Coordinates of all heavy atoms in Angstrom, one line a residue:
I28 N -0.6 15.5 2.3 CA -1.8 16.3 2.7 C -1.6 16.7 4.2 O -2.0 17.9 4.5 CB -3.0 15.2 2.6 CG1 -3.3 15.1 1.2 CG2 -4.2 15.9 3.4 CD1 -4.3 14.1 0.8
M29 N -1.1 16.0 5.1 CA -0.9 16.3 6.5 C 0.0 17.5 6.6 O -0.1 18.4 7.3 CB -0.3 15.2 7.3 CG -1.4 14.0 7.5 SD -2.7 14.5 8.5 CE -1.9 15.0 10.1
F30 N 1.1 17.5 5.7 CA 2.0 18.6 5.7 C 1.3 19.8 5.2 O 1.5 21.0 5.9 CB 3.3 18.2 4.7 CG 4.2 19.3 4.6 CD1 5.1 19.5 5.7 CD2 4.4 20.1 3.5 CE1 6.1 20.5 5.6 CE2 5.4 21.1 3.4 CZ 6.1 21.4 4.4
I31 N 0.5 19.7 4.2 CA -0.2 20.9 3.7 C -1.2 21.5 4.8 O -1.4 22.7 4.9 CB -1.0 20.6 2.5 CG1 0.2 20.5 1.3 CG2 -1.9 21.7 2.0 CD1 -0.4 20.0 0.0
I32 N -1.8 20.6 5.5 CA -2.7 21.0 6.6 C -2.0 21.7 7.8 O -2.5 22.7 8.3 CB -3.5 19.7 7.0 CG1 -4.5 19.3 5.9 CG2 -4.3 20.1 8.3 CD1 -5.3 18.1 6.3
L33 N -0.9 21.2 8.1 CA -0.2 21.7 9.3 C 0.6 23.0 9.0 O 1.0 23.7 10.0 CB 0.8 20.6 9.8 CG 0.2 19.5 10.5 CD1 1.2 18.3 11.0 CD2 -0.7 20.0 11.6
I34 N 1.0 23.3 7.8 CA 1.8 24.6 7.5 C 0.8 25.8 8.0 O 1.5 26.6 8.7 CB 2.0 24.7 6.0 CG1 3.2 23.8 5.6 CG2 2.4 26.1 5.7 CD1 3.5 23.7 4.2
P35 N -0.4 26.0 7.7 CA -1.0 27.1 8.3 C -1.2 27.1 9.8 O -1.1 28.2 10.4 CB -2.5 27.1 7.6 CG -2.3 26.1 6.6 CD -1.2 25.2 6.8
V36 N -1.3 26.0 10.4 CA -1.3 25.9 11.9 C 0.0 26.4 12.5 O 0.0 27.2 13.5 CB -1.6 24.4 12.3 CG1 -1.4 24.3 13.8 CG2 -3.0 24.0 11.9
F37 N 1.2 26.0 11.8 CA 2.4 26.4 12.4 C 2.6 28.0 12.1 O 3.1 28.6 13.0 CB 3.6 25.6 11.7 CG 3.7 24.2 12.2 CD1 3.8 23.3 11.4 CD2 3.8 24.0 13.6 CE1 3.9 21.9 11.9 CE2 3.9 22.8 14.1 CZ 3.9 21.7 13.1
L38 N 2.2 28.4 11.1 CA 2.3 29.9 10.7 C 1.3 30.7 11.7 O 1.9 31.7 12.2 CB 1.8 30.2 9.3 CG 2.8 29.7 8.2 CD1 2.2 29.9 6.9 CD2 4.1 30.4 8.4
I39 N 0.1 30.3 12.0 CA -0.7 30.9 13.0 C 0.0 31.0 14.4 O 0.0 31.9 15.1 CB -2.1 30.3 12.9 CG1 -2.8 30.7 11.6 CG2 -2.9 30.8 14.1 CD1 -4.1 29.9 11.4
L40 N 0.5 29.9 14.7 CA 1.1 29.7 16.1 C 2.4 30.6 16.2 O 2.5 31.3 17.2 CB 1.5 28.3 16.5 CG 0.4 27.4 16.8 CD1 1.0 25.9 16.9 CD2 -0.2 27.8 18.1
T41 N 3.1 30.7 15.1 CA 4.3 31.6 15.1 C 3.8 33.1 15.2 O 4.5 33.8 15.9 CB 5.1 31.4 13.8 OG1 5.5 29.9 13.7 CG2 6.3 32.3 13.7
A42 N 2.8 33.4 14.5 CA 2.3 34.8 14.4 C 1.8 35.1 15.9 O 2.0 36.3 16.4 CB 1.1 34.9 13.5
I43 N 1.0 34.2 16.5 CA 0.6 34.5 17.9 C 1.8 34.7 18.9 O 1.9 35.7 19.7 CB -0.3 33.4 18.3 CG1 -1.6 33.4 17.6 CG2 -0.6 33.4 19.9 CD1 -2.5 32.2 17.9
I44 N 2.8 33.9 18.7 CA 4.0 34.0 19.5 C 4.7 35.3 19.3 O 5.1 35.9 20.3 CB 4.9 32.7 19.2 CG1 4.3 31.4 19.9 CG2 6.3 33.0 20.0 CD1 5.0 30.2 19.5
V45 N 4.8 35.7 18.1 CA 5.5 37.0 17.8 C 4.8 38.1 18.4 O 5.3 39.0 19.1 CB 5.7 37.2 16.4 CG1 6.1 38.6 16.0 CG2 6.7 36.1 15.8
D46 N 3.4 38.2 18.2 CA 2.7 39.4 18.8 C 2.6 39.3 20.3 O 2.8 40.4 20.9 CB 1.2 39.3 18.3 CG 1.0 40.0 16.9 OD1 2.0 40.6 16.5 OD2 -0.2 40.1 16.5
V47 N 2.6 38.2 21.0 CA 2.5 38.1 22.4 C 3.9 38.5 22.9 O 4.1 39.2 23.9 CB 2.2 36.7 22.9 CG1 2.5 36.6 24.3 CG2 0.7 36.4 22.6
G48 N 5.0 38.1 22.2 CA 6.4 38.5 22.6 C 6.5 40.0 22.5 O 7.1 40.7 23.3
I49 N 5.9 40.7 21.5 CA 6.0 42.1 21.3 C 5.2 42.9 22.4 O 5.7 43.8 23.0 CB 5.5 42.6 19.8 CG1 6.4 42.1 18.8 CG2 5.3 44.1 19.8 CD1 5.9 42.3 17.4
I50 N 4.1 42.3 22.7 CA 3.3 42.9 23.9 C 4.0 42.8 25.2 O 4.1 43.7 26.0 CB 2.0 42.1 24.0 CG1 1.1 42.4 22.7 CG2 1.2 42.6 25.2 CD1 -0.2 41.6 22.6
E51 N 4.6 41.6 25.5 CA 5.3 41.4 26.7 C 6.6 42.3 26.8 O 6.9 42.9 27.9 CB 5.7 39.9 26.8 CG 6.4 39.6 28.1 CD 5.6 39.9 29.4 OE1 4.3 39.8 29.4 OE2 6.2 40.0 30.5
H52 N 7.3 42.4 25.7 CA 8.5 43.2 25.7 C 8.1 44.7 25.9 O 8.8 45.4 26.7 CB 9.2 43.2 24.3 CG 10.3 44.2 24.1 ND1 11.5 44.1 24.8 CD2 10.4 45.3 23.4 CE1 12.3 45.0 24.5 NE2 11.7 45.8 23.6

Side-chain angles (χ1 to χ4, degrees):
I28 291 174
M29 288 301 292
F30 182 71
I31 290 172
I32 290 173
L33 289 178
I34 285 178
V36 172
F37 286 129
L38 290 176
I39 290 169
L40 287 174
T41 303
I43 291 170
I44 290 169
V45 168
D46 269 2
V47 169
I49 290 170
I50 293 167
E51 183 63 25
H52 171 73

